[in-house]
């Protein structure tokens, strides 16, 4: 392995760590929620609004955040937003009001919004096309691996330092990492040592493929195009349903274990890691098996839909937790459900397969916005459903969302083929 190869994998490791910290500051509120609610007399409905505040600004800023990424270098932008969202995280340790928590969670979502576009830009710069999918899989796995191993650690920190100490420690970690990033991140050289080590910035013709935009100029008919096709609504609805289960685990899950299932707080932290590990396995199995089936000659309908449809079916298994008081079975059913969520997480592939060639970016933005809106709405809905302390209606709701997602992919998406625009002036003739 050459020096250039070693350096690009060091950069990948830095991105991976940043993803872990990103999810540290998203998920610490779920660990602290039960204690915050007790100390500050915050109701479940109010906690739902706190949980959703992050998603509102995060989703709304996806497109502007992507634009910012195009204009500011990673060495400057990443430590800047890392510092700002870490400061907002740290400030939570000094709050005593509902409004303050909502404002800080919204600020974290606002400043984290450019992070995933930035990750993609960095990997595109450093890795050639034939290595990029592996690099992306490695850094995205950080969200599940991070959550699996961080949840017990966060629980232990809160047990020793209280929920205020948890936020302060989380914020300090992010600020320290921002300093490390600024001093150690470098953009790739314009020329690599040899052709096999060619930096991604020098690639050209290899990426001039089937999805190159024919007409990059925006037209209002293009926006309408994103909403008039049944196939696209199939994946939009599916993504909303997929996000509903994910955000349950990212927000209400620890409260469910402690408040409703009556688990010891420390015990709940370790048990909570099991579904995250299951989701991690689901993501890897889904990606590898789907690509394997394509290579073996199976149709896109089967190869791409099968993991998602199976994943949605497994996700409905969360309802089974309502029918047992045995902790081992509860965790088993929740792990199966989150494993299914991981299986269904290859849904982004449908954007590249279905979208008109000149509208992939726009339709991807709509897809991500609708999917992200579930993270804004679901915590609030669950907050109302569990207002009397009973989580059973919440699990029925999540299970019903998985069912809707299953039906959406089964009956709305139909044949997996590229859509021909109906309204856009840039039709393919």
């Amino acid at each position: 392995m050459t020096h250039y190869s070693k350096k690009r994998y060091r950069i990948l490791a830095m991105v991976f760590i940043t993803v872990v910290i990103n999810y540290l500051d998203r998920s610490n509120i779920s660990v602290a929620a039960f204690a915050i609610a007790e100390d500050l007399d915050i109701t479940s409905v109010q906690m739902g609004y706190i949980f959703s505040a992050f998603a509102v600004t995060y989703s709304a800023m996806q497109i502007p955040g992507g634009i910012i990424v195009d204009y500011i270098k990673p060495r400057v932008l990443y430590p800047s937003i890392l510092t700002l969202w870490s400061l907002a995280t740290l400030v939570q340790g000094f709050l005593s009001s509902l409004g303050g928590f909502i404002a800080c969670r919204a600020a974290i979502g606002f400043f984290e919004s450019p992070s995933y576009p930035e990750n993609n830009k960095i990997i595109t710069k450093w890795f050639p096309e034939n290595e990029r999918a592996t690099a992306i899989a490695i850094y995205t796995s950080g969200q599940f691996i991070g959550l699996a191993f961080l949840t017990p650690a966060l629980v232990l920190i809160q047990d020793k330092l209280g929920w205020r100490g948890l936020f302060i420690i989380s914020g300090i970690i992010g600020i320290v990492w921002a300093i490390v990033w600024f001093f150690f991140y470098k953009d790739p050289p314009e020329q690599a040592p040899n052709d096999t080590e060619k930096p991604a910035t020098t690639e050209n013709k290899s990426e001039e493929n089937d999805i190159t935009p024919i007409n990059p100029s925006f037209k209002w008919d293009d926006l309408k195009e994103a909403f008039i096709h049944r196939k696209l609504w199939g994946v939009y609805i599916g993504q909303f349903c997929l996000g509903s289960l994910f955000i349950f685990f990212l927000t209400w899950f620890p409260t469910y274990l402690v408040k409703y299932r009556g688990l010891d707080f420390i015990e709940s932290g370790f048990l909570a890691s099991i579904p995250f590990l299951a989701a991690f396995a689901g993501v890897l199995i889904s990606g590898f098996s789907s690509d394997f089936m394509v290579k073996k000659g199976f149709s896109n309908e089967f190869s791409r839909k099968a993991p998602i449809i199976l994943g949605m079916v497994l996700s409905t298994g969360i309802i089974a937790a309502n029918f047992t008081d045995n902790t081992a079975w509860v965790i088993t059913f929740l792990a199966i459900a989150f494993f299914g969520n991981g299986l269904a997480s290859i849904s982004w592939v449908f954007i590249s397969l279905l979208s008109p060639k000149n509208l992939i970016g726009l339709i991807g933005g709509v897809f991500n916005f609708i999917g992200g809106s579930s993270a804004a709405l679901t915590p609030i809905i669950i907050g109302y459903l569990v207002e009397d302390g009973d989580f059973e209606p919440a699990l029925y709701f999540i299970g019903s969302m998985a069912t809707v997602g299953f039906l959406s992919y089964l009956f709305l998406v139909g044949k997996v083929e590229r859509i021909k625009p109906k309204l856009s002036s840039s039709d393919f003739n």
Side-chain angles (χ1 to χ4, degrees), residues 103-180:
C104 280
R105 297 306 298 176
I108 294 168
F110 182 92
F111 292 120
E112 282 195 9
S113 61
S115 56
Y116 264 72
E118 185 71 281
N119 295 340
N120 188 63
K121 178 181 178 180
I122 291 167
I123 296 305
T124 301
K125 278 177 169 287
W126 272 98
F127 285 82
E129 186 178 3
N130 63 350
E131 296 180 23
R132 206 169 291 160
T134 299
I136 291 172
I138 290 171
Y139 82 70
T140 54
S141 70
Q143 67 188 52
F144 292 117
I145 289 293
L147 289 169
F149 291 104
L150 281 177
T151 301
L154 293 175
V155 166
L156 290 173
I157 291 172
Q158 180 169 315
D159 184 60
K160 299 297 182 183
L161 302 177
W163 64 265
R164 294 185 183 277
L166 172 63
F167 287 123
I168 293 170
I169 294 297
S170 299
I172 290 173
I173 290 172
I175 293 170
V176 170
W177 183 247
I179 295 170
V180 172

Side-chain angles (χ1 to χ4, degrees), residues 370-402:
I370 293 176
S373 66
S374 66
L377 296 175
T378 299
I380 297 174
I381 293 171
I382 292 177
Y384 281 101
L385 291 175
V386 305
E387 195 171 7
D388 62 355
D390 184 3
F391 266 83
E392 286 191 9
L395 297 193
Y396 281 119
F397 168 72
I398 296 299
S400 68
M401 286 291 98

